[in-house]
Amino acid sequence: MSFLKKSPWILHYAATSCNGCDIELLACLTPLYDVERFGIVNTGNPKQADIFLITGSVNEESRKVVENLYAQMPEPKAVVAIGACAMSGGIFRDAYNVYGGIDKVLPVDVYVPGCAARPESIIDGIMRACEILDERARSRRQQRRRVAA
Amino acid sequence: MPLITFLVLFPLVAGVAMAVAPTPGRRALVLRGSVAAISAASLLLLLLNFRAPPAYFALDHRVAGALELLFLAGGVGVALLLLYWCRRIKRHEWYIPVLIVAQTALMLAAELAPGHPEIGHPFYVDSLSLLMVLIVALVGGLICVYAISYMRGYHAHSTRVPDRQPAFFFVLFLFLGAMFGVVLCNHLPWLFFFWEITTLCSYWLISYSGTDEAVRNGFRALGLNLIGGVAFAAAILWLTRTPGLHTWELDRLIAAGSAAALIPAALIGIAGLAKSAQLPFSSWLLGAMVAPTPVSALLHSSTMVKAGVFILVKLGPVYHGATVGFLLSLIGGVTFLVTSLVAVTQRNAKRVLAYSTIANLGLIVMCAGVGTVETLYAAILLILFHAVAKALLFLGVGTTEHMIGSRDIEDMEGLVYRRPAIAAMLLVGVLGMFLAPFGMLLSKYTCFEAFLAQDVFPGAGVVLAAMLAFGSAPTLFFWSKWMGKLVAMPRRAQPMQLPIPFDEATALVILTLVTCVACALFPLADWVFVQPFVDPLMSAGLIPIGGDRIPWETVAMMTTMLAGLFVMPLIFWLFPPRFAAVSGYLAGGNLDGSASYQGAMGAERQVESRGYYLSGLIREQPVVRMGLAAAALLTGLMLLSAAR
Amino acid sequence: MIHEYWYLGLAFLLLGPLLGALLSGIDRRLTARMQSRQGPPILQPIYDVLKLLEKDTLVVTGLQTLYLWGFLFFMLVSGFILFLGSDLLLSLFALTVSGIFLCLAAYATNSPYSNIGSSRELMLMMAYEPMMIIVPLGFFLAAGSFRASDIVAGHPSQVFELVGILIGFLFVLTIKLRKSPFDLSSSHHGHQELVKGITTDFSGSDLALVEIGHWYENTILLGWLYLFFAPLGVIWALPISIALFFLEVLIDNTHARLTWSSALKLSWLVTVVFGVSNLALLPFIARG
């Protein structure tokens, strides 16, 4: 068991979001949904985050930022795309500046559907991401043991 | 005795030799040889008097008489020379010739008076003098060696300054000889003569560059030091005229204690305060920073200003338990507090060092005013550590200025990566100034307990302790801020630069080593310098018997901390953790690593950050003015209480 | 010299972080309950640090790790000195050195957030330093010694003689524990104006070092608080000090953050009004 499941810290970035999903995401931190009971802390800092929560689609400006933030996150990490825009571009898919969903730029692990996504789905998505993180951490540890041996 | 003569006279001879040396190379050779000779002599003096009680030397009757005439004539000669130089004064500096005349008049009145005291033992050696001799010889000598290549670079940069290097080195060595005279002389008029020579040298060296700014600052230093000189001369006159204490010998003065010797002690105290640039006489030291760096290091941090606190520490037993002593401590405390606060607002590295020098001297004055075993211990260790660490810092800043072209702290960003050697030396100097387990902190630690045990009047100790507590906080701030600038990772790679000149490097490296060794072996410093100084005072009943200064477990803890400070970098160097490097966090907008980011409208913006200087909160002028007023008031009170 | 308390010193080194972690965990739980939330499990800080140790460490400069070693080392020394029953001033000085190393580590990364965070941290250190120095001075005047072991063996009325200093200490405890209104340089709460302030550019094992250092610091500060009530015996002293410690959590949740200049001025004012005046009265009222 890896402790990443017990203490997943998130980094939240709104790419080219309308902020609807962001509001729902921040609602998760409120007493009604309270994700801190799972040990989740919203650090605003990629260096200290495990799960990258991205809302909104990707254009040229936000592409650079998203790549930058992802690069500054230490392994093991996971990416969760929240909302329809993050999955595929949503209703803005055909706009001239939009590349599409986050997976055009980053390897996404979990897709959370909805427009806007509901807090329950978001929490569910984060939990899935935790499982993925846990697997990654364990396989890394096994790899290291094999390499060392 | 012959060693003493050598130490006082040889620098003069060497100075002349350097002044008439045909080439700079020859002059450098003479200088290095002389420094070696002086250092050897001082070490020999230490070995001969190692941990010995104070030794007094009498002179042959005719020699003493001849010297008396010589010094009398010399004093008048110095006054005439100063008056001659005063032809360049401005209107507002009218008080300077007046002070010169007043001082000379007082001295002549004392020396030519019919019933003046006999010359008993004009020279002496005790462990505090030995410490000062070592500091002047070794630290002063290293600074002179440094000056060889520094002055070469200085004149290469500042082509408008007339090159008077032969005279410059002569005056430096004249100063060294005079300092030896100050710390080894028991006969007050002769001590005063040497004291005045140091004032003269200080004036000449400050106004070396000949610019109007330098000359004005030179005159300010002259003027303020002359106030001290007048006070000193008045003390000597008092000692001549008074029926009670009729002696010109320092040791007799000290032995007379607070009962009889308060007035001369207070007057000499003012001279010491002026020489050590305490409030209200502090402005001359700030102005003296226009002088070349070796001058700042030698006169205005390591040696000349130490002469002032030296005399105050020697008079410690007289100040002990007296209101005069307490007021003196308050002056030191106000100085410490005010200058520590103002140092926070300074960006110019030399001004930071100047203010911090005044602050540390204020701390030593606080200790001298209390005059117990613990505070004398703290004061002597402070003198040692401050002289060494401050010289290192000044020389380091001088070399850095030549390398990066600026004295501004903000421009020293990333020095650890750009110029690792010089940055490491600066860091050692800064750590030596304020951090545990280094020496300065040790002194503060002893001081707290000693201040609280003070009983001049109830609550006296609390005031001093509170001043120490409030003054220490800003020092932490400005030193750490400077260190932070030095260790910051440069945002862009810097090109490699020229190496440090050999003379400068020698001086810096040796000073760094001395700082580290002195801090590591502080119990040794206690054993060699402090105990032989306070034991005779205790047995003569001049100061109360003090307890065991530092319990061994504290020493053990400090040693552990020091060991950690050395071992951790070693481990880091041998087993460096291999972590991946990334840029700093710039909210995801990094463009060029940590150096620039994408700003509004797609523009690329450079990342810049500056330290906090708190100049809105601590405004230099009003704060200093308040300190000046408070200190002037306290000085007046001190004189009044001595007269009662 | 016999060290009756050597076992306490050793216990501090081994168990200190656990106690600190528990204090931190209870702090978060209590905060959550005050905000009508559930809150994380009490052992959450330990899970956090264990997770950080599993992550990769990314650095801006390799030297930042060295400075963080210094931070942890001096924190250990400070607590060890305290729990050994030895000199309180020395413990304080080691604590100061530790804090400066943390600032150096942040300055080394040279990002705007860490720079400002570090500068603010230094200003906060300047704000609480006088009061922290006055605490051992007060104990010296009340109990006659700087040594923690002598203070513990002091007179039960000590806490009344030192009540002004206690109030001042509680005030600066808020600063030292990085609680609102003084969490200017770094905060436990998630997202703040300087991102994470001092710890912005630390990750993985570096951040784990900082967290463990803070746990030790919690234990050390609880120890200092305990000293005020120590002569009353463990039965009274421990609950009172723990209660006061969690009073800080209440203050945290009911105040907004101050600016650095207000924090500085207010701290020095409190130091003078409560600390210095108490110190001045002590020679008259102390029995020690």
Side-chain angles (χ1 to χ4, degrees), chain A residues 42-84:
Chain A
N42 182 14
T43 76
N45 188 357
K47 290 196 175 78
Q48 298 173 7
D50 309 307
I51 307 180
F52 196 7
L53 300 175
I54 318 187
T55 60
S57 53
V58 173
N59 65 8
E60 184 56 35
E61 292 258 339
S62 56
R63 181 177 71 86
K64 289 187 230 168
V65 177
V66 162
E67 283 172 350
N68 207 314
L69 289 175
Y70 186 71
Q72 286 194 19
M73 285 173 71
E75 292 281 354
K77 52 192 171 185
V79 178
V80 177
I82 299 178

Short mmCIF file of all heavy atoms in Angstrom, two decimals, chain A residues 42-84:
data_model
loop_
_atom_site.label_atom_id
_atom_site.label_comp_id
_atom_site.label_asym_id
_atom_site.label_seq_id
_atom_site.Cartn_x
_atom_site.Cartn_y
_atom_site.Cartn_z
N ASN A 42 -5.75 21.33 -1.13
CA ASN A 42 -5.57 22.06 -2.37
C ASN A 42 -4.31 22.91 -2.27
O ASN A 42 -4.37 24.07 -1.88
CB ASN A 42 -6.81 22.93 -2.61
CG ASN A 42 -6.69 23.67 -3.94
OD1 ASN A 42 -5.85 23.35 -4.77
ND2 ASN A 42 -7.54 24.65 -4.13
N THR A 43 -3.19 22.32 -2.62
CA THR A 43 -1.98 23.14 -2.69
C THR A 43 -1.99 23.84 -4.03
O THR A 43 -2.34 23.26 -5.03
CB THR A 43 -0.70 22.29 -2.64
OG1 THR A 43 -0.51 21.69 -3.90
CG2 THR A 43 -0.80 21.24 -1.59
N GLY A 44 -1.60 25.07 -4.07
CA GLY A 44 -1.62 25.77 -5.35
C GLY A 44 -0.31 25.59 -6.07
O GLY A 44 0.05 26.40 -6.90
N ASN A 45 0.41 24.56 -5.76
CA ASN A 45 1.82 24.50 -6.11
C ASN A 45 2.14 23.17 -6.77
O ASN A 45 2.00 22.13 -6.14
CB ASN A 45 2.58 24.65 -4.79
CG ASN A 45 4.04 24.79 -5.00
OD1 ASN A 45 4.53 24.73 -6.11
ND2 ASN A 45 4.74 24.97 -3.90
N PRO A 46 2.54 23.15 -8.03
CA PRO A 46 2.78 21.86 -8.70
C PRO A 46 3.82 21.01 -8.01
O PRO A 46 3.70 19.79 -7.97
CB PRO A 46 3.25 22.27 -10.09
CG PRO A 46 3.67 23.69 -9.97
CD PRO A 46 2.83 24.28 -8.90
N LYS A 47 4.84 21.66 -7.40
CA LYS A 47 5.90 20.87 -6.80
C LYS A 47 5.40 20.02 -5.65
O LYS A 47 6.05 19.07 -5.26
CB LYS A 47 7.01 21.79 -6.30
CG LYS A 47 7.78 22.45 -7.44
CD LYS A 47 9.08 23.02 -6.93
CE LYS A 47 9.90 23.58 -8.08
NZ LYS A 47 9.41 24.90 -8.52
N GLN A 48 4.27 20.43 -5.07
CA GLN A 48 3.77 19.70 -3.91
C GLN A 48 2.50 18.94 -4.22
O GLN A 48 1.84 18.46 -3.33
CB GLN A 48 3.54 20.67 -2.76
CG GLN A 48 4.84 21.33 -2.35
CD GLN A 48 4.63 22.41 -1.34
OE1 GLN A 48 3.53 22.60 -0.84
NE2 GLN A 48 5.69 23.13 -1.03
N ALA A 49 2.13 18.84 -5.49
CA ALA A 49 0.84 18.23 -5.83
C ALA A 49 1.04 16.85 -6.44
O ALA A 49 2.05 16.56 -7.06
CB ALA A 49 0.10 19.12 -6.82
N ASP A 50 0.00 15.98 -6.23
CA ASP A 50 0.04 14.66 -6.82
C ASP A 50 -0.93 14.54 -7.97
O ASP A 50 -0.67 13.84 -8.95
CB ASP A 50 -0.33 13.61 -5.76
CG ASP A 50 0.48 13.79 -4.51
OD1 ASP A 50 1.72 13.84 -4.62
OD2 ASP A 50 -0.12 13.91 -3.42
N ILE A 51 -2.07 15.18 -7.81
CA ILE A 51 -3.11 15.06 -8.82
C ILE A 51 -3.35 16.43 -9.45
O ILE A 51 -3.54 17.41 -8.75
CB ILE A 51 -4.43 14.55 -8.19
CG1 ILE A 51 -4.16 13.27 -7.41
CG2 ILE A 51 -5.47 14.33 -9.26
CD1 ILE A 51 -5.39 12.72 -6.77
N PHE A 52 -3.33 16.44 -10.74
CA PHE A 52 -3.52 17.68 -11.48
C PHE A 52 -4.96 17.70 -11.96
O PHE A 52 -5.36 16.89 -12.79
CB PHE A 52 -2.55 17.69 -12.66
CG PHE A 52 -2.35 19.03 -13.31
CD1 PHE A 52 -2.87 20.19 -12.78
CD2 PHE A 52 -1.59 19.13 -14.47
CE1 PHE A 52 -2.66 21.41 -13.38
CE2 PHE A 52 -1.36 20.35 -15.08
CZ PHE A 52 -1.90 21.50 -14.53
N LEU A 53 -5.76 18.62 -11.42
CA LEU A 53 -7.16 18.73 -11.84
C LEU A 53 -7.29 19.86 -12.83
O LEU A 53 -7.04 21.01 -12.49
CB LEU A 53 -8.04 19.03 -10.62
CG LEU A 53 -8.02 18.02 -9.48
CD1 LEU A 53 -8.85 18.54 -8.33
CD2 LEU A 53 -8.58 16.70 -9.95
N ILE A 54 -7.63 19.53 -14.03
CA ILE A 54 -7.75 20.58 -15.04
C ILE A 54 -9.18 20.69 -15.51
O ILE A 54 -9.83 19.68 -15.79
CB ILE A 54 -6.87 20.29 -16.27
CG1 ILE A 54 -5.51 19.77 -15.83
CG2 ILE A 54 -6.71 21.55 -17.10
CD1 ILE A 54 -4.56 19.62 -16.96
N THR A 55 -9.64 21.92 -15.58
CA THR A 55 -10.96 22.16 -16.17
C THR A 55 -10.75 22.98 -17.43
O THR A 55 -9.71 23.62 -17.61
CB THR A 55 -11.85 22.97 -15.22
OG1 THR A 55 -11.21 24.22 -14.96
CG2 THR A 55 -12.06 22.24 -13.91
N GLY A 56 -11.72 22.96 -18.30
CA GLY A 56 -11.65 23.82 -19.49
C GLY A 56 -10.83 23.20 -20.59
O GLY A 56 -10.05 22.26 -20.41
N SER A 57 -11.00 23.75 -21.80
CA SER A 57 -10.29 23.23 -22.97
C SER A 57 -8.91 23.87 -23.08
O SER A 57 -8.48 24.59 -22.19
CB SER A 57 -11.11 23.53 -24.23
OG SER A 57 -11.43 24.91 -24.26
N VAL A 58 -8.26 23.59 -24.19
CA VAL A 58 -6.87 24.03 -24.34
C VAL A 58 -6.73 24.93 -25.54
O VAL A 58 -7.16 24.57 -26.62
CB VAL A 58 -5.95 22.81 -24.52
CG1 VAL A 58 -4.54 23.25 -24.83
CG2 VAL A 58 -5.95 21.97 -23.27
N ASN A 59 -6.13 26.12 -25.38
CA ASN A 59 -5.72 26.91 -26.53
C ASN A 59 -4.22 27.16 -26.41
O ASN A 59 -3.57 26.62 -25.53
CB ASN A 59 -6.54 28.19 -26.65
CG ASN A 59 -6.29 29.13 -25.47
OD1 ASN A 59 -5.41 28.88 -24.65
ND2 ASN A 59 -7.07 30.18 -25.38
N GLU A 60 -3.66 27.99 -27.28
CA GLU A 60 -2.21 28.15 -27.33
C GLU A 60 -1.65 28.63 -26.01
O GLU A 60 -0.66 28.11 -25.51
CB GLU A 60 -1.85 29.11 -28.46
CG GLU A 60 -0.37 29.30 -28.68
CD GLU A 60 0.39 28.01 -28.93
OE1 GLU A 60 -0.16 27.10 -29.57
OE2 GLU A 60 1.53 27.89 -28.44
N GLU A 61 -2.29 29.64 -25.41
CA GLU A 61 -1.78 30.21 -24.15
C GLU A 61 -1.80 29.17 -23.04
O GLU A 61 -0.81 28.93 -22.36
CB GLU A 61 -2.65 31.39 -23.72
CG GLU A 61 -2.55 32.59 -24.61
CD GLU A 61 -1.67 33.67 -24.00
OE1 GLU A 61 -1.49 33.64 -22.77
OE2 GLU A 61 -1.17 34.52 -24.74
N SER A 62 -2.97 28.54 -22.86
CA SER A 62 -3.09 27.63 -21.73
C SER A 62 -2.30 26.36 -21.98
O SER A 62 -1.91 25.68 -21.04
CB SER A 62 -4.54 27.33 -21.42
OG SER A 62 -5.18 26.82 -22.55
N ARG A 63 -2.03 26.05 -23.24
CA ARG A 63 -1.23 24.85 -23.51
C ARG A 63 0.14 24.99 -22.86
O ARG A 63 0.64 24.08 -22.21
CB ARG A 63 -1.09 24.66 -25.01
CG ARG A 63 -0.29 23.44 -25.39
CD ARG A 63 -0.24 23.25 -26.89
NE ARG A 63 0.58 24.25 -27.53
CZ ARG A 63 1.89 24.15 -27.68
NH1 ARG A 63 2.52 23.07 -27.26
NH2 ARG A 63 2.57 25.11 -28.27
N LYS A 64 0.77 26.16 -23.05
CA LYS A 64 2.11 26.35 -22.49
C LYS A 64 2.09 26.23 -20.97
O LYS A 64 2.97 25.62 -20.35
CB LYS A 64 2.66 27.74 -22.87
CG LYS A 64 3.01 27.87 -24.32
CD LYS A 64 3.69 29.20 -24.57
CE LYS A 64 3.01 29.89 -25.74
NZ LYS A 64 3.38 31.28 -25.91
N VAL A 65 1.06 26.85 -20.38
CA VAL A 65 0.99 26.83 -18.92
C VAL A 65 0.77 25.41 -18.41
O VAL A 65 1.42 24.96 -17.47
CB VAL A 65 -0.14 27.76 -18.43
CG1 VAL A 65 -0.26 27.68 -16.93
CG2 VAL A 65 0.14 29.18 -18.85
N VAL A 66 -0.14 24.69 -19.08
CA VAL A 66 -0.44 23.33 -18.63
C VAL A 66 0.80 22.45 -18.71
O VAL A 66 1.11 21.67 -17.78
CB VAL A 66 -1.60 22.75 -19.47
CG1 VAL A 66 -1.66 21.26 -19.36
CG2 VAL A 66 -2.91 23.36 -19.03
N GLU A 67 1.52 22.57 -19.81
CA GLU A 67 2.75 21.76 -19.95
C GLU A 67 3.77 22.12 -18.88
O GLU A 67 4.43 21.27 -18.29
CB GLU A 67 3.35 22.00 -21.33
CG GLU A 67 2.61 21.26 -22.42
CD GLU A 67 3.11 21.67 -23.80
OE1 GLU A 67 3.89 22.64 -23.90
OE2 GLU A 67 2.73 21.00 -24.77
N ASN A 68 3.89 23.42 -18.63
CA ASN A 68 4.82 23.92 -17.62
C ASN A 68 4.50 23.35 -16.24
O ASN A 68 5.36 22.82 -15.54
CB ASN A 68 4.67 25.44 -17.59
CG ASN A 68 5.90 26.11 -17.12
OD1 ASN A 68 6.48 25.70 -16.14
ND2 ASN A 68 6.31 27.14 -17.84
N LEU A 69 3.21 23.44 -15.89
CA LEU A 69 2.81 22.97 -14.57
C LEU A 69 3.02 21.47 -14.46
O LEU A 69 3.49 20.96 -13.45
CB LEU A 69 1.34 23.31 -14.30
CG LEU A 69 1.05 24.80 -14.06
CD1 LEU A 69 -0.44 25.01 -13.94
CD2 LEU A 69 1.75 25.27 -12.81
N TYR A 70 2.66 20.74 -15.50
CA TYR A 70 2.82 19.28 -15.47
C TYR A 70 4.29 18.92 -15.28
O TYR A 70 4.63 18.01 -14.56
CB TYR A 70 2.27 18.68 -16.76
CG TYR A 70 2.25 17.18 -16.78
CD1 TYR A 70 1.34 16.47 -15.99
CD2 TYR A 70 3.13 16.46 -17.57
CE1 TYR A 70 1.32 15.09 -15.99
CE2 TYR A 70 3.11 15.08 -17.59
CZ TYR A 70 2.20 14.39 -16.80
OH TYR A 70 2.18 13.03 -16.82
N ALA A 71 5.18 19.69 -15.99
CA ALA A 71 6.62 19.39 -15.88
C ALA A 71 7.14 19.66 -14.47
O ALA A 71 8.09 19.00 -14.03
CB ALA A 71 7.39 20.24 -16.89
N GLN A 72 6.54 20.60 -13.77
CA GLN A 72 7.03 20.92 -12.44
C GLN A 72 6.45 20.02 -11.37
O GLN A 72 6.72 20.21 -10.19
CB GLN A 72 6.72 22.38 -12.10
CG GLN A 72 7.62 23.34 -12.86
CD GLN A 72 7.55 24.75 -12.29
OE1 GLN A 72 7.12 24.94 -11.16
NE2 GLN A 72 7.96 25.71 -13.07
N MET A 73 5.63 19.05 -11.75
CA MET A 73 5.09 18.13 -10.74
C MET A 73 6.00 16.92 -10.64
O MET A 73 6.39 16.36 -11.65
CB MET A 73 3.69 17.66 -11.13
CG MET A 73 2.63 18.70 -10.92
SD MET A 73 1.05 18.16 -11.59
CE MET A 73 0.60 16.89 -10.44
N PRO A 74 6.35 16.53 -9.41
CA PRO A 74 7.18 15.34 -9.29
C PRO A 74 6.36 14.06 -9.46
O PRO A 74 5.16 14.04 -9.20
CB PRO A 74 7.74 15.44 -7.85
CG PRO A 74 6.92 16.43 -7.14
CD PRO A 74 6.13 17.20 -8.12
N GLU A 75 7.04 13.02 -9.91
CA GLU A 75 6.39 11.72 -10.02
C GLU A 75 6.17 11.14 -8.64
O GLU A 75 6.94 11.42 -7.74
CB GLU A 75 7.30 10.77 -10.81
CG GLU A 75 7.45 11.14 -12.24
CD GLU A 75 6.26 10.69 -13.07
OE1 GLU A 75 5.37 10.00 -12.55
OE2 GLU A 75 6.22 11.05 -14.26
N PRO A 76 5.24 10.23 -8.42
CA PRO A 76 4.18 9.84 -9.34
C PRO A 76 3.04 10.85 -9.35
O PRO A 76 2.75 11.47 -8.35
CB PRO A 76 3.69 8.51 -8.76
CG PRO A 76 4.02 8.57 -7.32
CD PRO A 76 5.20 9.47 -7.18
N LYS A 77 2.46 11.06 -10.51
CA LYS A 77 1.41 12.06 -10.63
C LYS A 77 0.28 11.51 -11.51
O LYS A 77 0.49 10.56 -12.26
CB LYS A 77 1.94 13.36 -11.20
CG LYS A 77 2.72 13.18 -12.50
CD LYS A 77 3.46 14.46 -12.85
CE LYS A 77 4.42 14.22 -14.01
NZ LYS A 77 5.25 15.38 -14.32
N ALA A 78 -0.85 12.15 -11.38
CA ALA A 78 -2.00 11.74 -12.19
C ALA A 78 -2.73 12.99 -12.67
O ALA A 78 -2.64 14.04 -12.04
CB ALA A 78 -2.94 10.86 -11.37
N VAL A 79 -3.40 12.86 -13.79
CA VAL A 79 -4.13 14.01 -14.34
C VAL A 79 -5.60 13.67 -14.44
O VAL A 79 -5.97 12.58 -14.90
CB VAL A 79 -3.60 14.36 -15.74
CG1 VAL A 79 -4.38 15.52 -16.32
CG2 VAL A 79 -2.12 14.70 -15.68
N VAL A 80 -6.43 14.58 -13.96
CA VAL A 80 -7.88 14.38 -14.04
C VAL A 80 -8.47 15.52 -14.85
O VAL A 80 -8.27 16.67 -14.54
CB VAL A 80 -8.51 14.37 -12.63
CG1 VAL A 80 -10.02 14.23 -12.75
CG2 VAL A 80 -7.91 13.28 -11.79
N ALA A 81 -9.17 15.16 -15.93
CA ALA A 81 -9.82 16.18 -16.74
C ALA A 81 -11.27 16.28 -16.30
O ALA A 81 -12.01 15.30 -16.34
CB ALA A 81 -9.73 15.81 -18.21
N ILE A 82 -11.66 17.47 -15.86
CA ILE A 82 -13.00 17.64 -15.29
C ILE A 82 -13.87 18.43 -16.25
O ILE A 82 -13.50 19.52 -16.69
CB ILE A 82 -12.90 18.40 -13.94
CG1 ILE A 82 -12.06 17.58 -12.96
CG2 ILE A 82 -14.27 18.68 -13.37
CD1 ILE A 82 -11.86 18.25 -11.64
N GLY A 83 -14.99 17.89 -16.56
CA GLY A 83 -15.95 18.63 -17.35
C GLY A 83 -15.83 18.29 -18.82
O GLY A 83 -14.83 17.74 -19.29
N ALA A 84 -16.86 18.64 -19.55
CA ALA A 84 -16.93 18.30 -20.97
C ALA A 84 -15.83 18.99 -21.77
O ALA A 84 -15.23 18.40 -22.67
CB ALA A 84 -18.30 18.68 -21.52
#
